[in-house]
Amino acid sequence: MAKDMTLLWGSGSPPCWRVQIALEEKNLQGYNQKLLSFEKGEHKSKEVLEINPRGQLPAFKHGKIILNESYAACLYLENQFKSQGTQLIPEGAAEVGLMYQRIFEAQPLAQKIGEVLYYNWKVPEGERHDSAVQRNKEALKEEMKIWEGYLQGCGDFLVGKSFSLADVIIFPVFAYFIRNGGSEERYPNVAAYYKKLRDRPSIKKTWPPTWIDGPGMGTLKDI
Amino acid sequence: MAKDMTLLWGSGSPPCWRVQIALEEKNLQGYNQKLLSFEKGEHKSKEVLEINPRGQLPAFKHGKIILNESYAACLYLENQFKSQGTQLIPEGAAEVGLMYQRIFEAQPLAQKIGEVLYYNWKVPEGERHDSAVQRNKEALKEEMKIWEGYLQGCGDFLVGKSFSLADVIIFPVFAYFIRNGGSEERYPNVAAYYKKLRDRPSIKKTWPPTWIDGPGMGTLKDI
């Protein structure tokens, strides 16, 4: 039981979701948690700001140790609970290297998805340009093609023969892509990977509750 | 001797520099290396693309294991050479947690520096707006204030009493800020940290050669 841990989270946020998956995989159930609403601005509330002064979710702490960056939380949990639950860092040098490489390549992927999805939210009205929107879409298409290649002939997991931090961190990004209308037909390897992992217990149990009642907005449908 | 490692790098790039520092700290001297010129576009050359299909530096490999993302390379080197050279992940849970948290908070810092420095390079002429430039500058000022706070009362290192991956990864970002005109007066804690570490052997030995012959461009002087 992880009663000394607290997670404030928002539904459908890949950074929040990966922390939830890591906690499940490390058998750290029973932590204190609270689902907050991005729409209502609850990520800027006092209880979040007390843990995460940037006013972002996740806001996560283990005792007095604060880990608000999702990658930091995942790496910390594996470091501190190595022999508990799923071993999330593989043994062999080649697998370790590939795992770290893929984890950090997922950052431009997530960023490019965000630049398409949140363009109107990030860029004030008078500064918007169709040419920028098109460029962002093209950049995301190129990035997705790279990942489609990586997943060619991939087994059940992103790295080697077992579930690792690469899956913890990257699965929510692909799920987010598909949820927002990303094409399963144009990226069949990504879709196959997604389908293989979506029923894994740690993932199914933490599936974003706001995703259960119907499809998303389809913003990424032409990517 | 690290003859089975190859690093293609560019001078003054924090991602390249941190890999060089990590290699020094892990006593991995003697690796194959080549300094390439961003100005001449050598990061898009065939020899880079063979290691790093994104055409970015660093391009790094250990045998057949490719680690082009600088965070990935640093984490991999510590994972594979734990007992060699400087131990770069601390022992205590509080220090481990703070180290990971700071490492990943350095990503928005580096991104905000980049958004100010490279605005004209990233944004096509017809899409540029003074309001965006101002907003980027304000965001960087706010970010620097956060770090100035983190470094208040800090000892010689970012985390605890010893040099860690936090210093490997973040020192080059502060050095880059100062090199490009960032104020040592407005951010005295950042400047003090910078001065404490700049003569550390691993850092001095790998100091960007293009920085030695005089000051930088001063682009960040009003931050």
Side-chain angles (χ1 to χ4, degrees), chain A residues 11-31:
Chain A
S11 176
S13 143
C16 295
W17 194 5
R18 60 173 70 110
V19 179
Q20 296 175 293
I21 295 171
L23 287 163
E24 291 298 322
E25 293 288 343
K26 300 310 288 180
N27 282 345
L28 293 162
Q29 288 87 4
Y31 53 90

mmCIF file with all atom_site columns, all heavy atoms in Angstrom, chain A residues 11-31:
data_model
loop_
_atom_site.group_PDB
_atom_site.id
_atom_site.type_symbol
_atom_site.label_atom_id
_atom_site.label_alt_id
_atom_site.label_comp_id
_atom_site.label_asym_id
_atom_site.label_entity_id
_atom_site.label_seq_id
_atom_site.pdbx_PDB_ins_code
_atom_site.Cartn_x
_atom_site.Cartn_y
_atom_site.Cartn_z
_atom_site.occupancy
_atom_site.B_iso_or_equiv
_atom_site.pdbx_formal_charge
_atom_site.auth_seq_id
_atom_site.auth_comp_id
_atom_site.auth_asym_id
_atom_site.auth_atom_id
_atom_site.pdbx_PDB_model_num
ATOM 1   N N   . SER A 1 11 ? -7.863  13.675 -16.311 1.00 0.00 ? 11 SER A N   1
ATOM 2   C CA  . SER A 1 11 ? -8.206  12.561 -17.205 1.00 0.00 ? 11 SER A CA  1
ATOM 3   C C   . SER A 1 11 ? -7.765  12.845 -18.639 1.00 0.00 ? 11 SER A C   1
ATOM 4   O O   . SER A 1 11 ? -8.029  13.918 -19.180 1.00 0.00 ? 11 SER A O   1
ATOM 5   C CB  . SER A 1 11 ? -9.717  12.336 -17.184 1.00 0.00 ? 11 SER A CB  1
ATOM 6   O OG  . SER A 1 11 ? -10.077 11.333 -18.116 1.00 0.00 ? 11 SER A OG  1
ATOM 7   N N   . GLY A 1 12 ? -7.087  11.868 -19.253 1.00 0.00 ? 12 GLY A N   1
ATOM 8   C CA  . GLY A 1 12 ? -6.718  11.977 -20.672 1.00 0.00 ? 12 GLY A CA  1
ATOM 9   C C   . GLY A 1 12 ? -5.376  12.640 -20.900 1.00 0.00 ? 12 GLY A C   1
ATOM 10  O O   . GLY A 1 12 ? -4.951  12.783 -22.045 1.00 0.00 ? 12 GLY A O   1
ATOM 11  N N   . SER A 1 13 ? -4.690  13.018 -19.864 1.00 0.00 ? 13 SER A N   1
ATOM 12  C CA  . SER A 1 13 ? -3.364  13.627 -19.994 1.00 0.00 ? 13 SER A CA  1
ATOM 13  C C   . SER A 1 13 ? -2.306  12.523 -20.014 1.00 0.00 ? 13 SER A C   1
ATOM 14  O O   . SER A 1 13 ? -2.166  11.792 -19.023 1.00 0.00 ? 13 SER A O   1
ATOM 15  C CB  . SER A 1 13 ? -3.133  14.557 -18.795 1.00 0.00 ? 13 SER A CB  1
ATOM 16  O OG  . SER A 1 13 ? -1.787  14.523 -18.362 1.00 0.00 ? 13 SER A OG  1
ATOM 17  N N   . PRO A 1 14 ? -1.562  12.362 -21.127 1.00 0.00 ? 14 PRO A N   1
ATOM 18  C CA  . PRO A 1 14 ? -0.528  11.320 -21.135 1.00 0.00 ? 14 PRO A CA  1
ATOM 19  C C   . PRO A 1 14 ? 0.450   11.429 -19.961 1.00 0.00 ? 14 PRO A C   1
ATOM 20  O O   . PRO A 1 14 ? 0.800   10.403 -19.364 1.00 0.00 ? 14 PRO A O   1
ATOM 21  C CB  . PRO A 1 14 ? 0.153   11.497 -22.495 1.00 0.00 ? 14 PRO A CB  1
ATOM 22  C CG  . PRO A 1 14 ? -0.927  12.049 -23.381 1.00 0.00 ? 14 PRO A CG  1
ATOM 23  C CD  . PRO A 1 14 ? -1.695  12.982 -22.463 1.00 0.00 ? 14 PRO A CD  1
ATOM 24  N N   . PRO A 1 15 ? 0.902   12.639 -19.574 1.00 0.00 ? 15 PRO A N   1
ATOM 25  C CA  . PRO A 1 15 ? 1.827   12.678 -18.432 1.00 0.00 ? 15 PRO A CA  1
ATOM 26  C C   . PRO A 1 15 ? 1.213   12.122 -17.141 1.00 0.00 ? 15 PRO A C   1
ATOM 27  O O   . PRO A 1 15 ? 1.884   11.425 -16.378 1.00 0.00 ? 15 PRO A O   1
ATOM 28  C CB  . PRO A 1 15 ? 2.166   14.170 -18.296 1.00 0.00 ? 15 PRO A CB  1
ATOM 29  C CG  . PRO A 1 15 ? 1.994   14.711 -19.682 1.00 0.00 ? 15 PRO A CG  1
ATOM 30  C CD  . PRO A 1 15 ? 0.801   13.971 -20.224 1.00 0.00 ? 15 PRO A CD  1
ATOM 31  N N   . CYS A 1 16 ? -0.067  12.428 -16.890 1.00 0.00 ? 16 CYS A N   1
ATOM 32  C CA  . CYS A 1 16 ? -0.715  11.870 -15.694 1.00 0.00 ? 16 CYS A CA  1
ATOM 33  C C   . CYS A 1 16 ? -0.853  10.356 -15.808 1.00 0.00 ? 16 CYS A C   1
ATOM 34  O O   . CYS A 1 16 ? -0.574  9.611  -14.872 1.00 0.00 ? 16 CYS A O   1
ATOM 35  C CB  . CYS A 1 16 ? -2.107  12.473 -15.509 1.00 0.00 ? 16 CYS A CB  1
ATOM 36  S SG  . CYS A 1 16 ? -2.082  14.243 -15.173 1.00 0.00 ? 16 CYS A SG  1
ATOM 37  N N   . TRP A 1 17 ? -1.292  9.930  -16.978 1.00 0.00 ? 17 TRP A N   1
ATOM 38  C CA  . TRP A 1 17 ? -1.587  8.507  -17.170 1.00 0.00 ? 17 TRP A CA  1
ATOM 39  C C   . TRP A 1 17 ? -0.337  7.660  -16.978 1.00 0.00 ? 17 TRP A C   1
ATOM 40  O O   . TRP A 1 17 ? -0.369  6.585  -16.377 1.00 0.00 ? 17 TRP A O   1
ATOM 41  C CB  . TRP A 1 17 ? -2.182  8.327  -18.572 1.00 0.00 ? 17 TRP A CB  1
ATOM 42  C CG  . TRP A 1 17 ? -2.848  7.007  -18.805 1.00 0.00 ? 17 TRP A CG  1
ATOM 43  C CD1 . TRP A 1 17 ? -3.057  5.998  -17.892 1.00 0.00 ? 17 TRP A CD1 1
ATOM 44  C CD2 . TRP A 1 17 ? -3.418  6.551  -20.042 1.00 0.00 ? 17 TRP A CD2 1
ATOM 45  N NE1 . TRP A 1 17 ? -3.714  4.952  -18.484 1.00 0.00 ? 17 TRP A NE1 1
ATOM 46  C CE2 . TRP A 1 17 ? -3.947  5.268  -19.813 1.00 0.00 ? 17 TRP A CE2 1
ATOM 47  C CE3 . TRP A 1 17 ? -3.531  7.102  -21.315 1.00 0.00 ? 17 TRP A CE3 1
ATOM 48  C CZ2 . TRP A 1 17 ? -4.568  4.523  -20.815 1.00 0.00 ? 17 TRP A CZ2 1
ATOM 49  C CZ3 . TRP A 1 17 ? -4.157  6.363  -22.314 1.00 0.00 ? 17 TRP A CZ3 1
ATOM 50  C CH2 . TRP A 1 17 ? -4.675  5.094  -22.066 1.00 0.00 ? 17 TRP A CH2 1
ATOM 51  N N   . ARG A 1 18 ? 0.803   8.132  -17.481 1.00 0.00 ? 18 ARG A N   1
ATOM 52  C CA  . ARG A 1 18 ? 1.995   7.281  -17.350 1.00 0.00 ? 18 ARG A CA  1
ATOM 53  C C   . ARG A 1 18 ? 2.415   7.101  -15.890 1.00 0.00 ? 18 ARG A C   1
ATOM 54  O O   . ARG A 1 18 ? 2.892   6.029  -15.515 1.00 0.00 ? 18 ARG A O   1
ATOM 55  C CB  . ARG A 1 18 ? 3.126   7.792  -18.236 1.00 0.00 ? 18 ARG A CB  1
ATOM 56  C CG  . ARG A 1 18 ? 3.622   9.168  -17.993 1.00 0.00 ? 18 ARG A CG  1
ATOM 57  C CD  . ARG A 1 18 ? 4.871   9.469  -18.850 1.00 0.00 ? 18 ARG A CD  1
ATOM 58  N NE  . ARG A 1 18 ? 4.591   9.590  -20.268 1.00 0.00 ? 18 ARG A NE  1
ATOM 59  C CZ  . ARG A 1 18 ? 4.634   10.732 -20.975 1.00 0.00 ? 18 ARG A CZ  1
ATOM 60  N NH1 . ARG A 1 18 ? 4.936   11.889 -20.372 1.00 0.00 ? 18 ARG A NH1 1
ATOM 61  N NH2 . ARG A 1 18 ? 4.400   10.748 -22.265 1.00 0.00 ? 18 ARG A NH2 1
ATOM 62  N N   . VAL A 1 19 ? 2.168   8.102  -15.070 1.00 0.00 ? 19 VAL A N   1
ATOM 63  C CA  . VAL A 1 19 ? 2.485   7.938  -13.640 1.00 0.00 ? 19 VAL A CA  1
ATOM 64  C C   . VAL A 1 19 ? 1.542   6.892  -13.032 1.00 0.00 ? 19 VAL A C   1
ATOM 65  O O   . VAL A 1 19 ? 1.966   6.023  -12.256 1.00 0.00 ? 19 VAL A O   1
ATOM 66  C CB  . VAL A 1 19 ? 2.387   9.280  -12.888 1.00 0.00 ? 19 VAL A CB  1
ATOM 67  C CG1 . VAL A 1 19 ? 2.693   9.091  -11.409 1.00 0.00 ? 19 VAL A CG1 1
ATOM 68  C CG2 . VAL A 1 19 ? 3.347   10.306 -13.492 1.00 0.00 ? 19 VAL A CG2 1
ATOM 69  N N   . GLN A 1 20 ? 0.270   6.945  -13.425 1.00 0.00 ? 20 GLN A N   1
ATOM 70  C CA  . GLN A 1 20 ? -0.685  5.949  -12.918 1.00 0.00 ? 20 GLN A CA  1
ATOM 71  C C   . GLN A 1 20 ? -0.286  4.527  -13.342 1.00 0.00 ? 20 GLN A C   1
ATOM 72  O O   . GLN A 1 20 ? -0.371  3.586  -12.562 1.00 0.00 ? 20 GLN A O   1
ATOM 73  C CB  . GLN A 1 20 ? -2.087  6.255  -13.451 1.00 0.00 ? 20 GLN A CB  1
ATOM 74  C CG  . GLN A 1 20 ? -2.654  7.579  -12.956 1.00 0.00 ? 20 GLN A CG  1
ATOM 75  C CD  . GLN A 1 20 ? -3.994  7.873  -13.616 1.00 0.00 ? 20 GLN A CD  1
ATOM 76  O OE1 . GLN A 1 20 ? -4.078  8.101  -14.826 1.00 0.00 ? 20 GLN A OE1 1
ATOM 77  N NE2 . GLN A 1 20 ? -5.048  7.851  -12.834 1.00 0.00 ? 20 GLN A NE2 1
ATOM 78  N N   . ILE A 1 21 ? 0.143   4.390  -14.594 1.00 0.00 ? 21 ILE A N   1
ATOM 79  C CA  . ILE A 1 21 ? 0.562   3.061  -15.084 1.00 0.00 ? 21 ILE A CA  1
ATOM 80  C C   . ILE A 1 21 ? 1.790   2.581  -14.307 1.00 0.00 ? 21 ILE A C   1
ATOM 81  O O   . ILE A 1 21 ? 1.859   1.426  -13.869 1.00 0.00 ? 21 ILE A O   1
ATOM 82  C CB  . ILE A 1 21 ? 0.847   3.095  -16.608 1.00 0.00 ? 21 ILE A CB  1
ATOM 83  C CG1 . ILE A 1 21 ? -0.435  3.405  -17.394 1.00 0.00 ? 21 ILE A CG1 1
ATOM 84  C CG2 . ILE A 1 21 ? 1.442   1.764  -17.075 1.00 0.00 ? 21 ILE A CG2 1
ATOM 85  C CD1 . ILE A 1 21 ? -0.207  3.682  -18.888 1.00 0.00 ? 21 ILE A CD1 1
ATOM 86  N N   . ALA A 1 22 ? 2.764   3.475  -14.124 1.00 0.00 ? 22 ALA A N   1
ATOM 87  C CA  . ALA A 1 22 ? 3.980   3.084  -13.392 1.00 0.00 ? 22 ALA A CA  1
ATOM 88  C C   . ALA A 1 22 ? 3.624   2.638  -11.971 1.00 0.00 ? 22 ALA A C   1
ATOM 89  O O   . ALA A 1 22 ? 4.146   1.625  -11.474 1.00 0.00 ? 22 ALA A O   1
ATOM 90  C CB  . ALA A 1 22 ? 4.970   4.253  -13.363 1.00 0.00 ? 22 ALA A CB  1
ATOM 91  N N   . LEU A 1 23 ? 2.725   3.363  -11.308 1.00 0.00 ? 23 LEU A N   1
ATOM 92  C CA  . LEU A 1 23 ? 2.334   2.990  -9.940  1.00 0.00 ? 23 LEU A CA  1
ATOM 93  C C   . LEU A 1 23 ? 1.692   1.604  -9.920  1.00 0.00 ? 23 LEU A C   1
ATOM 94  O O   . LEU A 1 23 ? 2.000   0.783  -9.050  1.00 0.00 ? 23 LEU A O   1
ATOM 95  C CB  . LEU A 1 23 ? 1.368   4.049  -9.379  1.00 0.00 ? 23 LEU A CB  1
ATOM 96  C CG  . LEU A 1 23 ? 2.021   5.386  -9.000  1.00 0.00 ? 23 LEU A CG  1
ATOM 97  C CD1 . LEU A 1 23 ? 0.977   6.494  -8.863  1.00 0.00 ? 23 LEU A CD1 1
ATOM 98  C CD2 . LEU A 1 23 ? 2.815   5.257  -7.697  1.00 0.00 ? 23 LEU A CD2 1
ATOM 99  N N   . GLU A 1 24 ? 0.818   1.328  -10.889 1.00 0.00 ? 24 GLU A N   1
ATOM 100 C CA  . GLU A 1 24 ? 0.206   -0.010 -10.968 1.00 0.00 ? 24 GLU A CA  1
ATOM 101 C C   . GLU A 1 24 ? 1.261   -1.080 -11.195 1.00 0.00 ? 24 GLU A C   1
ATOM 102 O O   . GLU A 1 24 ? 1.255   -2.124 -10.535 1.00 0.00 ? 24 GLU A O   1
ATOM 103 C CB  . GLU A 1 24 ? -0.819  -0.065 -12.113 1.00 0.00 ? 24 GLU A CB  1
ATOM 104 C CG  . GLU A 1 24 ? -2.069  0.757  -11.899 1.00 0.00 ? 24 GLU A CG  1
ATOM 105 C CD  . GLU A 1 24 ? -2.866  0.297  -10.691 1.00 0.00 ? 24 GLU A CD  1
ATOM 106 O OE1 . GLU A 1 24 ? -2.952  -0.928 -10.454 1.00 0.00 ? 24 GLU A OE1 1
ATOM 107 O OE2 . GLU A 1 24 ? -3.386  1.177  -9.981  1.00 0.00 ? 24 GLU A OE2 1
ATOM 108 N N   . GLU A 1 25 ? 2.164   -0.833 -12.143 1.00 0.00 ? 25 GLU A N   1
ATOM 109 C CA  . GLU A 1 25 ? 3.171   -1.851 -12.474 1.00 0.00 ? 25 GLU A CA  1
ATOM 110 C C   . GLU A 1 25 ? 4.095   -2.139 -11.294 1.00 0.00 ? 25 GLU A C   1
ATOM 111 O O   . GLU A 1 25 ? 4.589   -3.247 -11.141 1.00 0.00 ? 25 GLU A O   1
ATOM 112 C CB  . GLU A 1 25 ? 3.992   -1.399 -13.691 1.00 0.00 ? 25 GLU A CB  1
ATOM 113 C CG  . GLU A 1 25 ? 3.204   -1.342 -14.999 1.00 0.00 ? 25 GLU A CG  1
ATOM 114 C CD  . GLU A 1 25 ? 2.855   -2.722 -15.569 1.00 0.00 ? 25 GLU A CD  1
ATOM 115 O OE1 . GLU A 1 25 ? 3.471   -3.725 -15.166 1.00 0.00 ? 25 GLU A OE1 1
ATOM 116 O OE2 . GLU A 1 25 ? 1.943   -2.780 -16.427 1.00 0.00 ? 25 GLU A OE2 1
ATOM 117 N N   . LYS A 1 26 ? 4.345   -1.112 -10.483 1.00 0.00 ? 26 LYS A N   1
ATOM 118 C CA  . LYS A 1 26 ? 5.219   -1.306 -9.321  1.00 0.00 ? 26 LYS A CA  1
ATOM 119 C C   . LYS A 1 26 ? 4.431   -1.762 -8.084  1.00 0.00 ? 26 LYS A C   1
ATOM 120 O O   . LYS A 1 26 ? 4.965   -1.735 -6.967  1.00 0.00 ? 26 LYS A O   1
ATOM 121 C CB  . LYS A 1 26 ? 6.002   -0.022 -9.012  1.00 0.00 ? 26 LYS A CB  1
ATOM 122 C CG  . LYS A 1 26 ? 6.906   0.493  -10.114 1.00 0.00 ? 26 LYS A CG  1
ATOM 123 C CD  . LYS A 1 26 ? 7.840   -0.544 -10.700 1.00 0.00 ? 26 LYS A CD  1
ATOM 124 C CE  . LYS A 1 26 ? 8.980   -0.967 -9.791  1.00 0.00 ? 26 LYS A CE  1
ATOM 125 N NZ  . LYS A 1 26 ? 9.855   -1.998 -10.451 1.00 0.00 ? 26 LYS A NZ  1
ATOM 126 N N   . ASN A 1 27 ? 3.194   -2.183 -8.279  1.00 0.00 ? 27 ASN A N   1
ATOM 127 C CA  . ASN A 1 27 ? 2.338   -2.653 -7.167  1.00 0.00 ? 27 ASN A CA  1
ATOM 128 C C   . ASN A 1 27 ? 2.177   -1.605 -6.072  1.00 0.00 ? 27 ASN A C   1
ATOM 129 O O   . ASN A 1 27 ? 2.164   -1.932 -4.891  1.00 0.00 ? 27 ASN A O   1
ATOM 130 C CB  . ASN A 1 27 ? 2.892   -3.946 -6.554  1.00 0.00 ? 27 ASN A CB  1
ATOM 131 C CG  . ASN A 1 27 ? 2.575   -5.147 -7.420  1.00 0.00 ? 27 ASN A CG  1
ATOM 132 O OD1 . ASN A 1 27 ? 1.722   -5.073 -8.314  1.00 0.00 ? 27 ASN A OD1 1
ATOM 133 N ND2 . ASN A 1 27 ? 3.261   -6.246 -7.172  1.00 0.00 ? 27 ASN A ND2 1
ATOM 134 N N   . LEU A 1 28 ? 2.085   -0.355 -6.493  1.00 0.00 ? 28 LEU A N   1
ATOM 135 C CA  . LEU A 1 28 ? 1.926   0.727  -5.523  1.00 0.00 ? 28 LEU A CA  1
ATOM 136 C C   . LEU A 1 28 ? 0.473   1.211  -5.536  1.00 0.00 ? 28 LEU A C   1
ATOM 137 O O   . LEU A 1 28 ? 0.188   2.366  -5.856  1.00 0.00 ? 28 LEU A O   1
ATOM 138 C CB  . LEU A 1 28 ? 2.912   1.865  -5.837  1.00 0.00 ? 28 LEU A CB  1
ATOM 139 C CG  . LEU A 1 28 ? 4.382   1.485  -5.615  1.00 0.00 ? 28 LEU A CG  1
ATOM 140 C CD1 . LEU A 1 28 ? 5.307   2.446  -6.346  1.00 0.00 ? 28 LEU A CD1 1
ATOM 141 C CD2 . LEU A 1 28 ? 4.712   1.464  -4.124  1.00 0.00 ? 28 LEU A CD2 1
ATOM 142 N N   . GLN A 1 29 ? -0.430  0.286  -5.213  1.00 0.00 ? 29 GLN A N   1
ATOM 143 C CA  . GLN A 1 29 ? -1.833  0.678  -5.163  1.00 0.00 ? 29 GLN A CA  1
ATOM 144 C C   . GLN A 1 29 ? -2.137  1.353  -3.820  1.00 0.00 ? 29 GLN A C   1
ATOM 145 O O   . GLN A 1 29 ? -1.331  1.314  -2.894  1.00 0.00 ? 29 GLN A O   1
ATOM 146 C CB  . GLN A 1 29 ? -2.745  -0.539 -5.350  1.00 0.00 ? 29 GLN A CB  1
ATOM 147 C CG  . GLN A 1 29 ? -2.756  -1.080 -6.777  1.00 0.00 ? 29 GLN A CG  1
ATOM 148 C CD  . GLN A 1 29 ? -1.642  -2.079 -7.043  1.00 0.00 ? 29 GLN A CD  1
ATOM 149 O OE1 . GLN A 1 29 ? -0.896  -2.440 -6.156  1.00 0.00 ? 29 GLN A OE1 1
ATOM 150 N NE2 . GLN A 1 29 ? -1.519  -2.514 -8.300  1.00 0.00 ? 29 GLN A NE2 1
ATOM 151 N N   . GLY A 1 30 ? -3.311  1.940  -3.733  1.00 0.00 ? 30 GLY A N   1
ATOM 152 C CA  . GLY A 1 30 ? -3.761  2.514  -2.460  1.00 0.00 ? 30 GLY A CA  1
ATOM 153 C C   . GLY A 1 30 ? -3.222  3.895  -2.164  1.00 0.00 ? 30 GLY A C   1
ATOM 154 O O   . GLY A 1 30 ? -3.352  4.398  -1.056  1.00 0.00 ? 30 GLY A O   1
ATOM 155 N N   . TYR A 1 31 ? -2.616  4.513  -3.174  1.00 0.00 ? 31 TYR A N   1
ATOM 156 C CA  . TYR A 1 31 ? -2.120  5.883  -2.958  1.00 0.00 ? 31 TYR A CA  1
ATOM 157 C C   . TYR A 1 31 ? -3.308  6.865  -2.917  1.00 0.00 ? 31 TYR A C   1
ATOM 158 O O   . TYR A 1 31 ? -4.385  6.577  -3.452  1.00 0.00 ? 31 TYR A O   1
ATOM 159 C CB  . TYR A 1 31 ? -1.115  6.282  -4.051  1.00 0.00 ? 31 TYR A CB  1
ATOM 160 C CG  . TYR A 1 31 ? -1.597  6.109  -5.483  1.00 0.00 ? 31 TYR A CG  1
ATOM 161 C CD1 . TYR A 1 31 ? -2.257  7.154  -6.141  1.00 0.00 ? 31 TYR A CD1 1
ATOM 162 C CD2 . TYR A 1 31 ? -1.401  4.923  -6.179  1.00 0.00 ? 31 TYR A CD2 1
ATOM 163 C CE1 . TYR A 1 31 ? -2.704  7.001  -7.447  1.00 0.00 ? 31 TYR A CE1 1
ATOM 164 C CE2 . TYR A 1 31 ? -1.838  4.751  -7.487  1.00 0.00 ? 31 TYR A CE2 1
ATOM 165 C CZ  . TYR A 1 31 ? -2.494  5.801  -8.116  1.00 0.00 ? 31 TYR A CZ  1
ATOM 166 O OH  . TYR A 1 31 ? -2.935  5.652  -9.405  1.00 0.00 ? 31 TYR A OH  1
#
